[in-house]
Amino acid sequence: MSGRPLDVLEAALEDVVTVTLKDGTAYYGTLAGYDQHMNAVLEPAADSDAVPGELDATAVEDTTIIRGDNVVTIQT
């Protein structure tokens, strides 16, 4: 994928993503939304076998909002 960051997030909507934070923790879930600050909304993933990227990622258990200034990477 290439393009502007918000275009990449738009293309990843409804996909399972792994979000890695500045402190090294990683979470995965379905990307349900985002905003211009790259705040991300994750919903629990329906298929836990489809976890991209980090093997040590923690599944979100409920709707989770991750503040964009804490995000290092978002992988599909």
Side-chain angles (χ1 to χ4, degrees):
M1 249 185 227
S2 64
R4 299 179 311 167
L6 294 180
D7 293 338
V8 173
L9 286 176
E10 182 67 28
L13 275 175
E14 304 303 321
D15 289 343
V16 177
V17 297
T18 299
V19 179
T20 305
L21 306 181
K22 287 180 182 178
D23 68 0
T25 59
Y27 297 94
Y28 74 89
T30 302
L31 183 63
Y34 65 92
D35 66 11
Q36 70 273 13
H37 302 289
M38 294 183 70
N39 297 319
V41 179
L42 298 182
E43 297 283 346
D47 181 11
S48 61
D49 294 334
V51 180
E54 299 285 331
L55 295 177
D56 294 332
T58 302
V60 297
E61 295 180 9
D62 204 353
T63 301
T64 304
I65 301 170
I66 300 176
R67 193 173 159 111
D69 62 354
N70 290 317
V71 174
V72 174
T73 63
I74 298 177
Q75 293 179 285
T76 57

